[in-house]
């Protein structure tokens, strides 16, 4: 099953000691092999000065049980088959903010 841009999912924890962690899908169907995998930004409960906080208003559906932040510098490709659940969906403005921050870390200053 493919996930749309802005979907918050529970996937394998590639960065910590837990089995799973939340991620937000930041790619769209133009991603090569989009039928098999997508790009995701890690979500954490650790507050960092440059992380993007997620509030209830950032979700158009669902949500997360704890105060959470997106780390736009922590991006990975995850196969759809490795996703174990859907947590919600972010509003378009929040998704675009995350994508723009990722682009800035890649040297593409698209932030407004």
């Amino acid at each position: 099953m493919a996930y749309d841009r802005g979907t918050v999912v529970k996937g394998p924890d590639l960065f910590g000691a837990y089995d799973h962690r939340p991620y937000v899908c930041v790619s769209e169907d133009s991603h090569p092999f989009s039928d098999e995998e997508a790009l995701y930004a890690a979500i954490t409960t650790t507050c960092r000065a440059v992380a993007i906080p997620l509030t209830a208003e950032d979700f158009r559906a669902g949500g997360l049980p704890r105060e959470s932040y997106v780390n736009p510098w922590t991006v990975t490709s995850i196969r759809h088959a490795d996703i174990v659940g859907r947590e919600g969906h972010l509003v378009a403005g929040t998704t675009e903010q995350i994508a723009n921050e990722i682009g800035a870390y890649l040297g593409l200053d698209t932030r407004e």
Side-chain angles (χ1 to χ4, degrees):
M1 165 187 250
Y3 296 92
D4 296 333
R5 182 179 174 117
T7 303
V8 176
V9 301
K10 188 186 302 182
D13 189 350
L14 305 172
F15 308 105
Y18 299 100
D19 289 336
H20 301 98
R21 78 159 44 246
Y23 296 89
V24 59
C25 182
V26 292
S27 60
E28 50 196 29
D29 60 3
S30 65
H31 177 285
F33 311 107
S34 64
D35 58 331
E36 297 176 24
E37 64 188 24
L39 293 174
Y40 293 88
I43 299 175
T44 182
T45 57
T46 304
C47 179
R48 293 183 173 92
V50 293
I52 300 168
L54 294 178
T55 66
E57 291 78 31
D58 292 309
F59 285 86
R60 73 172 199 209
L64 293 168
R66 297 172 56 191
E67 192 170 310
S68 300
Y69 308 85
V70 177
N71 291 341
W73 61 89
T74 308
V75 179
T76 188
S77 182
I78 301 175
R79 296 178 57 79
H80 303 312
D82 294 330
I83 301 296
V84 296
R86 183 186 307 243
E87 301 290 331
H89 203 283
L90 299 179
V91 298
T94 301
T95 304
E96 289 306 310
Q97 177 189 6
I98 294 165
N100 288 338
E101 290 293 324
I102 291 168
Y105 282 103
L106 297 173
L108 307 170
D109 197 359
T110 58
R111 295 175 285 189
E112 293 179 26

